[in-house]
Amino acid sequence: MAEERHICALLRQGCGGCPLLETPYPEQLRQKQARVEALLGEFGPVSPILGMEHPWHYRNKAISTFCTGPGRRLDSGIYAAGTHRVVPVASCLLHHPALDEAVEAVRRAARLCRYEPYQEDRGTGLVRHVLVRHSRATGRVLVALVTAAPVLPGARAFVSKVRELCPQVETIVQNINPRRSSAVLGPREKVLWGRGYIEDTLCGVRFRLGASSFYQINPEQTEVLYRTALDGAGLDGTQTVVDAYCGVGTIGLAAAGRARRVLGVEFNPSAARCAAQNARANGAGNARFLCADATAYLQGMAARGERADVVFLDPPRAGSTPEFLGAVDRMGPERIVYISCNPETQRRDLRLLAGRGWKARLLQPVDLFPHTEHVECVAVLAKIRGGGM
């Protein structure tokens, strides 16, 4: 693994985004390995963590919050840990460089247009945040300017200046968030220039990325994570696959080329629509995505006697539920592939499955977020013959 060290001035200003930045990367991996072993070792041997060769500039998404800088000049950055004080950020060691270039172009264009930063405590000002996304496949960037009001004075001049300063920008949207809350994005959006989205490729599947699309922020390691999950599932083109908590369909569509049929279930209507659009765009006729509560839908499948050969689940940090896991168990799949961003809740859920006769065939941690304390883990489970309910 890479031993290169970087010094970040933002740490001294209270950034808090990379608490392990000053820890050598091999030591970070050792700590994460030890944590997963302590949490999940009761279920079987934990494979060596899969880290990055070059764990820098991996993020494909960044959010910068506007503030008033020195000399009352418009600036932007990130909140200091545990506060609403904005630390100005010109560049970040985790961002793809194109993200920082796009944010700087937006800052300069916003200054020329004399936009005022939003003051949450007073409810005054216009510009709140800028969200930027980068496509590894195309090198292009999406810019979303988040404003407190629907009218953007000088919008044409703003767009023209951003495009001049950052030619990688492919589309610019205005997201309107009038709410006094910490949520970054609001419910309304206007396309100021371009198509309103960029495209990226993950595991050979093409995805549309808008401002609000859910998409893993480290595409290189996401491919490692998904390959691990797909290989562990043992797909050979004959299986029926359920992709629960499917989001925009990333895992399900990656599995579609190896499965007979894929059914994705997602509670968020926008994400479910995106998954269906992504299936059509990729010609995945064997993949169907629907908007439903995963627990209720799988309980219905189990009650009807329907089954799946493999169930993928990638739940939020809170993990799954006993009701969902019970429904999966009743469906009798050959494999359960549980992708977790929180090994603590994964341990709770694996204990429940172990009590129903499931055994871990693979426990594979993957480092998706170098220099942070987060770690992902893939657990592949199979039913023990004669296991109790």
Side-chain angles (χ1 to χ4, degrees):
M1 289 299 162
E3 292 276 3
E4 55 186 314
R5 301 289 297 277
H6 291 71
I7 298 174
C8 179
L10 299 176
L11 281 175
R12 308 292 180 262
Q13 300 176 48
C15 168
C18 309
L20 301 183
L21 190 66
E22 295 187 324
T23 302
Y25 188 56
E27 175 60 24
Q28 294 181 34
L29 295 179
R30 282 192 289 271
Q31 291 178 12
K32 293 182 181 184
Q33 179 77 25
R35 180 182 168 214
V36 175
E37 288 177 352
L39 288 168
L40 304 183
E42 65 186 86
F43 306 109
V46 177
S47 300
I49 189 169
L50 301 175
M52 297 189 73
E53 185 65 27
H54 301 288
W56 308 99
H57 303 294
Y58 60 80
R59 287 188 62 102
N60 59 11
K61 172 186 166 184
I63 298 170
S64 192
T65 298
F66 288 104
C67 64
T68 301
R72 298 198 57 79
R73 188 175 76 156
L74 182 73
D75 210 336
S76 72
I78 65 172
Y79 289 121
T83 77
H84 267 207
R85 177 176 63 86
V86 176
V87 177
V89 176
S91 64
C92 173
L93 291 168
L94 303 194
H95 294 170
H96 188 284
L99 299 178
D100 291 329
E101 293 169 17
V103 171
E104 174 60 19
V106 168
R107 273 195 296 261
R108 291 175 60 183
R111 289 168 187 158
L112 287 172
C113 292
R114 300 184 181 276
Y115 295 152
E116 291 290 329
Y118 178 72
Q119 303 289 337
E120 185 176 335
D121 54 344
R122 302 175 189 170
T124 61
L126 176 63
V127 290
R128 301 181 66 143
H129 315 278
V130 55
L131 180 151
V132 286
R133 290 184 179 274
H134 173 260
S135 166
R136 183 176 60 154
T138 67
R140 309 297 279 173
V141 175
L142 172 144
V143 167
L145 182 71
V146 184
T147 64
V151 176
L152 183 66
R156 288 186 180 180
F158 172 78
V159 167
S160 178
K161 194 63 180 178
V162 171
R163 294 179 60 192
E164 174 192 332
L165 295 171
C166 189
Q168 303 102 301
V169 171
E170 184 175 14
T171 190
I172 302 174
V173 301
Q174 177 192 1
N175 179 275
I176 302 157
N177 182 5
R179 298 173 292 194
R180 290 198 183 189
S181 75
S182 58
V184 172
L185 296 177
R188 294 177 55 199
E189 192 170 283
K190 297 179 183 178
V191 177
L192 301 179
W193 174 72
R195 298 181 294 178
Y197 63 88
I198 56 175
E199 293 185 339
D200 199 13
T201 302
L202 189 68
C203 295
V205 181
R206 193 169 72 254
F207 292 95
R208 286 186 179 185
L209 304 179
S212 61
S213 301
F214 173 79
Y215 196 66
Q216 293 281 12
I217 63 166
N218 184 341
E220 179 181 334
Q221 286 296 91
T222 298
E223 291 201 335
V224 172
L225 182 76
Y226 288 177
R227 280 199 303 268
T228 300
L230 292 169
D231 291 346
L235 300 178
D236 61 12
T238 64
Q239 293 92 347
T240 294
V241 170
V242 170
D243 178 12
Y245 313 96
C246 72
V248 297
T250 47
I251 300 171
L253 289 174
R258 307 189 189 190
R260 181 175 66 85
R261 175 173 171 258
V262 172
L263 172 65
V265 185
E266 170 57 43
F267 186 69
N268 182 289
S270 175
R273 285 194 299 271
C274 286
Q277 291 169 356
N278 289 327
R280 289 193 295 271
N282 286 276
N286 64 333
R288 183 167 68 96
F289 296 93
L290 53 90
C291 181
D293 176 78
T295 298
Y297 194 85
L298 265 69
Q299 285 178 323
M301 291 182 68
R304 294 188 296 271
E306 299 179 35
R307 67 180 304 274
D309 299 296
V310 177
V311 174
F312 288 92
L313 63 149
D314 187 2
R317 291 189 60 78
S320 189
T321 65
E323 294 78 12
F324 175 89
L325 298 173
V328 171
D329 178 66
R330 289 193 298 275
M331 290 173 64
E334 297 173 4
R335 294 282 188 276
I336 297 174
V337 183
Y338 187 155
I339 302 172
S340 173
C341 59
N342 185 353
E344 293 182 358
T345 54
Q346 189 177 34
R347 174 176 62 178
R348 178 200 66 205
D349 294 341
L350 293 187
R351 282 176 173 169
L352 189 151
L353 289 168
R356 292 175 175 265
W358 292 86
K359 181 174 176 58
R361 302 300 186 189
L362 175 70
L363 296 166
Q364 178 63 71
V366 181
D367 190 24
L368 250 69
F369 309 104
H371 314 296
T372 78
E373 295 171 336
H374 299 294
V375 60
E376 304 258 337
C377 187
V378 177
V380 179
L381 302 106
K383 195 72 176 276
I384 304 170
R385 189 183 297 274
M389 293 295 288

